[in-house]
Amino acid sequence: NASFDFNIDKSLYDPKHYEYYFQDGFLGSIGKRASLAVATPESISFIFPKFETDLTIRIPSRKLDKCGDFQITYKYNEKLREYAMQEKNVYDSSLYSLYSWGDDAVVFMHNNQLKSPKKILIIRDSFNCVVAPFLILGIKDLITLDLRSFTGSIRSFVDQNVPDIVLVFYYPNIISDLIENNPQRSFFDFR
């Protein structure tokens, strides 16, 4: 807020303004690689604001264009808990990807309630799935690019969409591995 004049209402993120649902049996990507021999499934939380929301989410690769309350940011939102409870195989399930509809090359989110023209572009990996639905509550527009599947030019995309700020949101070890140890395979050339 101070550095970029966003004026995001931080009270939107007060934990008491949310309802929490927990589902056992979640195993993340690293846990899946390690296997159940050494990893223990955990609980995953599904979080919903208690306050009114009015959002739009557009995912071109899915031909998805939805308007509605916060639940539209979840894949299978109509039967979220039922879906989560049916997932039995921890290796095949991806409850984490229910947030933001999972991993897509480009996702556009718009907050229909805010007047501020601020826009954020996030260059992301799967960690952003859980961040984007909550960040959009405090800003007008949010766009995410997943470079694992985005094939266009980042520079051209930024020129076309004119964000106020670009955030790089990756698991820290991935950044250091790609930049320091294997720069020829780095996602971070920003061309």
Side-chain angles (χ1 to χ4, degrees), residues 134-189:
F134 299 99
L135 186 55
I136 192 59
L137 296 175
I139 60 170
K140 186 71 173 174
D141 287 291
L142 177 66
I143 305 168
T144 67
L145 285 182
D146 189 332
L147 300 184
R148 296 170 297 171
S149 52
F150 179 74
T151 58
S153 160
I154 296 172
R155 181 173 288 158
S156 295
F157 193 89
V158 168
D159 289 344
Q160 290 170 1
N161 291 281
V162 193
D164 293 288
I165 188 171
V166 177
L167 303 175
V168 177
F169 198 99
Y170 273 80
Y171 178 65
N173 287 356
I174 298 297
I175 294 172
S176 64
D177 285 350
L178 290 173
I179 292 174
E180 296 171 13
N181 302 328
N182 204 354
Q184 68 274 13
R185 291 179 15 138
S186 176
F187 289 130
F188 302 100
D189 64 6

Side-chain angles (χ1 to χ4, degrees), residues 41-72:
E42 303 174 27
S43 293
I44 187 169
S45 57
F46 298 106
I47 305 168
F48 296 92
K50 294 178 184 176
F51 52 89
E52 191 173 312
T53 57
D54 183 10
L55 306 172
T56 300
I57 185 169
R58 187 167 59 88
I59 305 173
S61 63
R62 294 180 187 270
K63 297 180 177 34
L64 177 81
D65 195 344
K66 286 187 168 210
C67 293
D69 66 12
F70 185 80
Q71 288 190 29
I72 67 165

Side-chain angles (χ1 to χ4, degrees), residues 100-118:
S100 300
W101 290 75
D103 298 321
D104 289 281
V106 182
V107 176
F108 298 91
M109 291 185 180
H110 180 78
N111 188 327
N112 301 311
Q113 295 176 303
L114 295 182
K115 304 277 187 252
S116 167
K118 296 294 188 177

